[in-house]
Amino acid sequence: DGLALETEIGLFAMKRDMVTRAIAQFKDVNVEVHLVQMAPLALCNFVAYDLLNKSVDNMAEDDDSHECIVCLEIGTDSSNLVITDGGRIIWQRPIPIGGNHFTRALTKEMKLTFAKAEHLKKNAAKSPDLKKILSSLKQVLNDFVGEVQRSLGYFTNTHRNAQIQYMIGLGNAFRLPGLQKFLQEKLQLEVRKLQHLERAT
């Protein structure tokens, strides 16, 4: 009674046309959509629930440890970087580089059409030109890692009590041979690929 409680509020917004585009494919096949969630928030919920074993009941528990997981989702045109402890800390940053930037680098360096470059990227692990492919991607990979490094640096400077445990990598670009190891070495951080869901069904 009469106690002043500290409240933190997160405001999230999506553009109407993006929501319309996202649900159009479901409407086309008569599937009713009950909930639309923006990607960074969905990633944050995934980390909290599936990797940090949090539930609605213990998400807001305040302790001093703040063990965080970094989630890096590489999309088609851009990527999402989310860092959370599943409770008090929710931090996200969009990165303006995605899988198409890798494909365009291959079209330029190896003189290929976009479709052939995309096929080569997806099947790089089996390609006899793997060395050439990785060499063609060197600049865009360095730019990408630079963006991630800057974001992580800013986060650690502004969240002194947070301890980053590891990074989880999501998105088809993580199939690229050597990407996981490259990120791990450059960031000096353990990078895991998602193998299976622990709690989500």
Side-chain angles (χ1 to χ4, degrees):
D1 208 18
L3 285 175
L5 296 174
E6 186 185 321
T7 306
E8 286 186 23
I9 296 171
L11 293 176
F12 303 90
M14 284 188 274
K15 290 181 180 171
R16 192 189 300 269
D17 65 316
M18 286 177 76
V19 176
T20 307
R21 273 204 310 274
I23 61 174
Q25 56 196 323
F26 296 100
K27 277 187 172 176
D28 291 347
V29 289
N30 297 319
V31 172
E32 192 179 350
V33 176
H34 291 268
L35 182 80
V36 177
Q37 193 172 60
M38 61 199 298
L41 206 50
L43 292 169
C44 185
N45 284 335
F46 156 69
V47 171
Y49 182 77
D50 208 73
L51 303 179
L52 289 166
N53 214 21
K54 299 274 183 175
S55 65
V56 174
D57 298 329
N58 67 7
M59 269 184 184
E61 281 176 9
D62 202 8
D63 59 57
D64 296 326
S65 64
H66 295 302
E67 292 185 349
C68 296
I69 292 175
V70 180
C71 183
L72 177 61
E73 179 256 339
I74 305 177
T76 307
D77 293 305
S78 61
S79 301
N80 283 301
L81 183 78
V82 171
I83 307 173
T84 186
D85 65 349
R88 301 290 294 178
I89 298 171
I90 298 173
W91 192 88
Q92 79 92 21
R93 171 101 358 135
I95 291 173
I97 298 172
N100 278 352
H101 293 79
F102 298 161
T103 308
R104 281 196 284 273
L106 291 177
T107 64
K108 189 178 160 193
E109 296 293 322
M110 298 180 76
K111 312 277 188 284
L112 298 168
T113 63
F114 190 87
K116 280 187 177 170
E118 186 68 15
H119 179 79
L120 191 64
K121 182 184 78 176
K122 285 180 178 174
N123 298 283
K126 299 177 217 152
S127 173
D129 292 326
L130 180 58
K131 222 171 182 176
K132 199 175 174 187
I133 292 166
L134 295 176
S135 170
S136 300
L137 293 174
K138 198 170 181 183
Q139 185 57 56
V140 74
L141 283 172
N142 281 329
D143 291 347
F144 182 69
V145 171
E147 290 279 352
V148 175
Q149 258 171 339
R150 274 191 293 280
S151 298
L152 290 178
Y154 180 81
F155 173 81
T156 51
N157 279 335
T158 53
H159 296 76
R160 302 281 183 180
N161 60 343
Q163 286 122 32
I164 291 175
Q165 303 302 298
Y166 63 89
M167 172 185 279
I168 186 93
L170 303 173
N172 279 332
F174 270 95
R175 290 181 182 175
L176 201 62
L179 177 61
Q180 184 180 2
K181 193 178 171 200
F182 183 74
L183 280 167
Q184 203 156 260
E185 286 172 3
K186 295 283 184 185
L187 301 172
Q188 291 294 291
L189 181 66
E190 182 192 353
V191 178
R192 301 178 188 175
K193 280 196 281 193
L194 182 68
Q195 302 300 328
H196 55 268
L197 297 170
E198 297 294 338
R199 297 178 71 207
T201 55

